[in-house]
Amino acid sequence: MPRTAEEFLSPPSVPEDCYVSSSVYTDPDLYAEEEEKLLRRTWKFVCHVSEVPNIGDYRTHDWTGVPLVTVRSPDKKVRTFVNSCSHRGSRVVRYPAGNMKHMTCFFHLWEYDLYGNCTYQTRDEGYEAHGPTKEQAGLREVRTDTFCGLVFMNFDGNAAPLREYIGETATAFESIFGENDFEIFHLNRTHMKGNWKAWFLTNCDFYHEWGHQVNRSTNLTSPDYHDRPWRLNHAQGHGYTARKLDNEPFVVQYKNYKGWKNRDGLVLRGLQPGELVLTDLFPNTSVFMRTTCVRINHSTPYGPDHTVMEERGLGIKGESEADRRQRAKEFTQVWGPYSRNGAEDVAFVEESHRCQEFGANKYDVISRNEPIGDGLQRPQSDAYVRLFYDKWGDYMGRPANNPKNLMTAAE
Amino acid sequence: MTISDDQIKNLIYKSCRLLDAEEFDDYLDLYTEDFEYKVTNYSPEIKSDQEWMDANRAELKGLLANVPLHFRLLGSFMRHATVYDIERNGADTANALTYVTIYYTTPEGATSVWAVGRYHDKIDVSGDTPLIADRNMKLETREVGIGTHLPM
């Protein structure tokens, strides 16, 4: 039965943790608050260590609008600096990646070493009277750490250490990353008109697999598809799905997609043929291990309705050209801008945003409940999405179902 | 019979027209049995070439058969190609370099440039008609919005 206007504007008739106000995806004030309270206080994925293997290797990136440069310093530690000259604020490093001996601002040629120290000021005698001295003009360093070859940064100097932040969720990928020496072979970026949370939660919403032809033919036909539980990390807001309750792997039936074969070769150490493991790290990093390759998915928001999705593929360092080609082929069959799923997920987010933006959709329903036993939930339940918004509420001090009202102390 | 440069050019232009029209069976007939098709680009982020699509006949045929079942970008593509160079490699093969601009038109009729790149084709000229033995669509454009299932 169609809903009346009054019914349409009312919250859905489900428990309060089972729906989200669409304003969390569209409201500029909420987004500004997210930057301050959440995005600048949690660990942000930067890159894989293979992108900066040598001293002087760097990657530039942004976070909450702040330009950053991550570089391997001469002591071999990976560091991140705000990529803005202490003099007049220009970006110091402008290319996406490369190798440098030091950082020189193009504007007035101030120079910084790879530890962020200011080492040169053009005509520095002009600063003798009033400063700043070189010692006072270093770049702002941002806390940076690595786990399993993944580089993360955090603006918050008081946040828990990275390893503590990942917590028990490390179980999902620690052994696989420990047993394989990975390096990057794929990177693509997509600007999308949509919210960063909607993108991340698409990665965490197995129910949306019914929308993908690949998943309909290769996953949903698998007899054990529904038998993998979500493993939720309630303390940190992470989650993963891996093996079934009996510890047997979930095996994707690739041969069911016309033209494909099952993935029995080039299997990553720690995985079984056809096995798929997915880890979601709050607030917006997903690590997929799909038999022969790894996908790291991360996004950079530039506002409530502008998100840049960045996707990486990892293979085995030093492998033969033929093996790398096969691995890359299997990666891009599913992911990337000319893949089967990659060309669909972004559209899912943009189509939803189009309706949320002007109020055609007031609430997202996240009520799916599919218990599998032992208090666990099946993958196509919304258990992780609910956990995500519970955590989001903790950081924001607001409930996601009514975010314009602050939580009371009791809540 | 010697295959002329004009026949090679017509083959390449026909490949564009058939893809635009989504006449996939006829499009595949333009290739040799054991062809290799790739979409590639150079990534300054990872400082290396990368492959975004890599398919043989069975894989490309499977993909194109599945296209109607996939959730798809609505609208249409139009490929504008200019063959810049054809080089002969003996009697049986030739290499062709083609500059390609792909326009995308929404269902509402708004057109934009989707991507620019170059076809690096290896052409089999050993038979009565030329066939594409290998195609590498080397893209300049690396940001393509929501992406597409289709070969470029």
Side-chain angles (χ1 to χ4, degrees):
Chain A
M1 172 184 302
R3 285 175 290 167
T4 63
E6 189 179 352
E7 289 167 337
F8 173 76
L9 293 171
S10 301
S13 304
V14 296
E16 288 196 343
D17 65 341
C18 290
Y19 66 92
V20 174
S21 165
S22 293
S23 62
V24 302
Y25 302 116
T26 59
D27 188 285
D29 294 334
L30 281 177
Y31 174 74
E33 203 171 304
E34 275 180 340
E35 284 195 333
E36 194 57 41
K37 294 182 173 176
L38 195 162
L39 298 173
R40 290 182 181 159
R41 296 186 182 189
T42 47
W43 286 93
K44 166 232 184 328
F45 172 76
V46 174
C47 65
H48 186 253
V49 288
S50 64
E51 295 173 63
V52 287
N54 303 309
I55 292 168
D57 286 348
Y58 69 86
R59 288 285 280 111
T60 56
H61 49 106
D62 296 326
W63 192 236
T64 60
V66 178
L68 298 150
V69 57
T70 294
V71 61
R72 191 174 289 276
S73 303
D75 63 358
K76 299 190 177 174
K77 189 173 183 303
V78 178
R79 289 182 167 81
T80 300
F81 304 101
V82 173
N83 185 14
S84 173
C85 184
S86 308
H87 177 216
R88 294 286 178 84
S90 305
R91 275 195 308 161
V92 180
V93 185
R94 299 165 66 216
Y95 211 61
N99 182 277
M100 57 192 176
K101 290 186 169 57
H102 45 72
M103 297 175 263
T104 305
C105 179
F106 64 92
F107 201 171
H108 302 87
L109 308 188
W110 281 32
E111 198 168 282
Y112 305 88
D113 67 16
L114 301 183
Y115 296 101
N117 301 305
C118 180
T119 53
Y120 179 77
Q121 293 168 310
T122 304
R123 289 185 63 80
D124 57 357
E125 59 267 37
Y127 294 108
E128 285 174 2
H130 305 296
T133 64
K134 287 193 279 292
E135 289 70 29
Q136 296 168 320
L139 296 178
R140 193 284 211 207
E141 185 169 358
V142 181
R143 204 169 161 201
T144 304
D145 202 354
T146 62
F147 180 70
C148 288
L150 309 181
V151 181
F152 287 80
M153 56 145 276
N154 195 329
F155 281 123
D156 185 355
N158 296 317
L162 176 62
R163 182 63 185 80
E164 188 180 322
Y165 182 73
I166 292 174
E168 66 201 44
T169 308
T171 309
F173 60 101
E174 195 168 21
S175 64
I176 296 166
F177 274 71
E179 290 180 41
N180 298 277
D181 190 7
F182 288 120
E183 73 175 0
I184 190 166
F185 66 74
H186 175 108
L187 188 144
N188 78 79
R189 289 158 53 87
T190 297
H191 286 258
M192 71 180 86
K193 189 168 172 53
N195 185 270
W196 66 273
K197 298 185 293 299
W199 172 259
F200 178 64
L201 293 173
T202 297
N203 283 331
C204 316
D205 160 28
F206 287 86
Y207 192 45
H208 95 282
E209 293 200 313
W210 270 264
H212 289 304
Q213 167 62 2
V214 162
N215 300 63
R216 285 196 297 270
S217 54
T218 66
N219 284 7
L220 303 178
T221 52
S222 180
D224 48 6
Y225 170 79
H226 303 282
D227 295 340
R228 301 163 294 154
W230 267 114
R231 303 284 182 179
L232 301 179
N233 178 338
H234 290 274
Q236 305 295 354
H238 312 316
Y240 71 90
T241 58
R243 301 230 157 157
K244 298 181 291 180
L245 284 176
D246 60 7
N247 201 36
E248 289 297 310
F250 161 62
V251 176
V252 178
Q253 303 297 317
Y254 292 97
K255 63 179 170 48
N256 290 345
Y257 187 93
K258 192 174 181 184
W260 287 3
K261 297 172 183 166
N262 275 346
R263 297 185 180 180
D264 301 324
L266 299 177
V267 179
L268 298 175
R269 292 195 189 109
L271 291 175
Q272 297 292 316
E275 188 172 3
L276 172 64
V277 175
L278 165 61
T279 304
D280 291 307
L281 299 174
F282 186 89
N284 70 340
T285 301
S286 299
V287 183
F288 299 73
M289 290 144 277
R290 190 181 266 275
T291 307
T292 58
C293 49
V294 171
R295 173 204 194 204
I296 302 171
N297 198 275
H298 171 72
S299 69
T300 302
Y302 287 90
D305 60 356
H306 181 190
T307 300
V308 176
M309 182 273 285
E310 200 164 78
E311 185 170 52
R312 286 166 167 79
L314 304 182
I316 301 298
K317 190 176 179 180
E319 65 188 335
S320 71
E321 199 173 311
D323 286 356
R324 175 58 58 86
R325 182 177 175 187
Q326 183 63 26
R327 219 180 283 283
K329 172 185 281 204
E330 293 182 357
F331 181 93
T332 55
Q333 282 175 341
V334 181
W335 298 312
Y338 292 94
S339 69
R340 311 315 195 263
N341 286 11
E344 297 171 351
D345 280 327
V346 178
F348 292 155
V349 171
E350 289 196 344
E351 287 289 345
S352 295
H353 189 83
R354 183 178 173 178
C355 291
Q356 291 156 349
E357 188 173 17
F358 297 108
N361 177 46
K362 305 296 286 184
Y363 299 98
D364 258 17
V365 176
I366 54 171
S367 58
R368 290 191 64 78
N369 182 48
E370 298 215 20
I372 197 173
D374 295 338
L376 301 170
Q377 289 274 321
R378 296 180 193 278
Q380 62 272 31
S381 117
D382 284 324
Y384 180 77
V385 184
R386 288 193 290 272
L387 170 60
F388 175 91
Y389 277 112
D390 183 50
K391 209 71 204 162
W392 184 91
D394 287 348
Y395 278 94
M396 295 287 286
R398 300 168 178 275
N401 59 27
N402 188 12
K404 300 302 270 188
N405 288 337
L406 285 170
M407 285 175 172
T408 65
E411 287 170 322
Chain B
M1 179 181 148
T2 305
I3 300 292
S4 69
D5 282 4
D6 279 347
Q7 285 176 286
I8 293 173
K9 288 178 185 175
N10 287 338
L11 167 71
I12 294 167
Y13 295 143
K14 192 172 182 181
S15 74
C16 295
R17 289 201 313 275
L18 290 173
L19 260 187
D20 288 350
E22 300 198 356
E23 294 178 17
F24 299 136
D25 290 342
D26 291 342
Y27 173 75
L28 288 171
D29 286 344
L30 304 180
Y31 287 84
T32 60
E33 276 304 308
D34 57 350
F35 76 85
E36 292 181 345
Y37 178 89
K38 288 183 182 177
V39 175
T40 67
N41 59 72
Y42 176 78
S43 165
E45 290 92 355
I46 63 173
K47 296 173 276 187
S48 72
D49 290 321
Q50 56 179 346
E51 290 160 7
W52 280 1
M53 185 185 280
D54 182 358
N56 57 29
R57 175 173 286 279
E59 290 156 349
L60 196 55
K61 191 174 178 181
L63 166 61
L64 296 174
N66 268 297
V67 161
L69 301 173
H70 279 280
F71 174 73
R72 296 184 62 194
L73 176 70
L74 300 174
S76 60
F77 289 115
M78 183 178 285
R79 292 158 180 82
H80 186 93
T82 304
V83 178
Y84 272 43
D85 191 36
I86 296 172
E87 273 187 9
R88 303 284 172 162
N89 294 323
D92 291 341
T93 61
N95 292 333
L97 173 67
T98 304
Y99 280 47
V100 187
T101 304
I102 302 165
Y103 299 97
Y104 165 64
T105 301
T106 68
E108 293 78 21
T111 297
S112 57
V113 174
W114 173 270
V116 296
R118 300 172 186 84
Y119 289 154
H120 293 262
D121 288 335
K122 181 180 170 188
I123 309 293
D124 182 339
V125 293
S126 63
D128 292 339
T129 56
L131 294 168
I132 302 168
D134 291 317
R135 168 162 288 178
N136 178 359
M137 170 42 143
K138 192 156 190 179
L139 292 167
E140 287 293 313
T141 307
R142 288 177 290 115
E143 291 197 10
V144 291
I146 75 167
T148 176
H149 304 89
L150 297 174
M152 287 289 99

